Amino acid sequence: MTTTLPILGQTPALPADPSMLDDAARATVPGTPFGLYVHVPFCATRCGYCDFNTYTSDELGPGANRSEYAGTAIAELELAARVLGPELPTISTVFVGGGTPTLLPADDLVAVLDRARQLFPVADDVEVTTEANPESVTPASLATLRAGGFTRISLGMQSAAPHVLAVLDRRHTPGRAAEAAREARAAGFDHVNLDLIYGAPGSPTRTGTCRCRPCWTPPSTTSAPTR
């Protein structure tokens, strides 16, 4: 079982004062399987079905607006290192979720990952994932994320049917979702996950057949959309 450290936007898990973590708890830290979750709560629009901690405003006040958010996340990481140290656990997995993390500049997400690597030991085979929406990435931003150490993209496709996307308040088209997946592959991502609310193994989609696999390669043929 992996212990996940939540950073921002979640129920606080760490005391503000490092001395408040008792010695017995601190002694278990170094050998505990450890994952890092970074929550980025920004969205361009709020989907009607969503009950996550998300906000559509660009400006949420000092430390919580988009332009300052990476710095705030880094400050939380530094607090976590002070509280959990001096013998820190090894990060085995990193997941950046939201919200839509890729509404932040790719360089900001890489800066948070870089600081985590500076503060904590990191497993050689660490998986580093960020959620993204098809319309919130570009070939350039994906290339920056891949070069910065991200290994997996989870694309919020949700559906391959235009009328279902409209009901879900999604902003992209089925074609854009497939294009974003191809761009991620071209940027060097071997692991591209499609998040499908309305999809089942074997069901036809505009981009091929859903195989419900964590690593997806856009097929060369298409079939009729799901109705």
Side-chain angles (χ1 to χ4, degrees):
M1 182 176 181
T2 299
T3 298
T4 300
L5 169 65
I7 299 293
L8 294 177
Q10 306 294 304
T11 302
L14 296 173
D17 182 351
S19 66
M20 293 175 65
L21 189 66
D22 63 65
D23 291 340
R26 196 185 307 278
T28 67
V29 168
T32 301
F34 190 69
L36 175 66
Y37 174 70
V38 180
H39 188 72
V40 181
F42 304 109
C43 285
T45 58
R46 185 168 175 83
C47 300
Y49 63 87
C50 179
D51 62 356
F52 291 104
N53 178 19
T54 61
Y55 306 90
T56 57
S57 174
D58 284 346
E59 176 60 62
L60 295 179
N65 58 69
R66 292 185 196 178
S67 64
E68 298 178 29
Y69 205 73
T72 302
I74 288 171
E76 289 285 312
L77 283 169
E78 292 168 346
L79 169 62
R82 291 196 303 273
V83 171
L84 296 175
E87 294 185 68
L88 293 170
T90 298
I91 295 176
S92 60
T93 182
V94 178
F95 193 95
V96 183
T100 309
T102 45
L103 282 182
L104 297 184
D107 286 336
D108 283 7
L109 298 179
V110 170
V112 174
L113 179 60
D114 284 347
R115 189 60 177 139
R117 289 182 179 276
Q118 293 166 3
L119 292 166
F120 291 86
V122 177
D124 292 338
D125 61 348
V126 63
E127 180 181 82
V128 183
T129 302
T130 184
E131 291 183 328
N133 281 345
E135 75 280 6
S136 67
V137 292
T138 65
S141 69
L142 288 164
T144 296
L145 291 170
R146 186 67 189 93
F150 284 81
T151 64
R152 178 172 171 264
I153 292 287
S154 180
L155 283 170
M157 182 177 181
Q158 312 310 357
S159 174
H163 69 284
V164 176
L165 290 173
V167 169
L168 296 175
D169 301 315
R170 306 299 289 182
R171 296 164 65 96
H172 63 272
T173 63
R176 174 56 200 156
E179 183 180 25
R182 286 191 289 269
E183 291 171 355
R185 296 285 288 187
F189 284 95
D190 293 328
H191 301 282
V192 180
N193 180 79
L194 293 180
D195 185 357
L196 279 166
I197 291 178
Y198 286 86
S203 64
T205 70
R206 286 191 182 277
T207 57
T209 300
C210 176
R211 291 176 174 82
C212 200
R213 298 192 307 187
C215 183
W216 182 82
T217 302
S220 58
T221 59
T222 60
S223 56
T226 299
R227 296 297 182 187

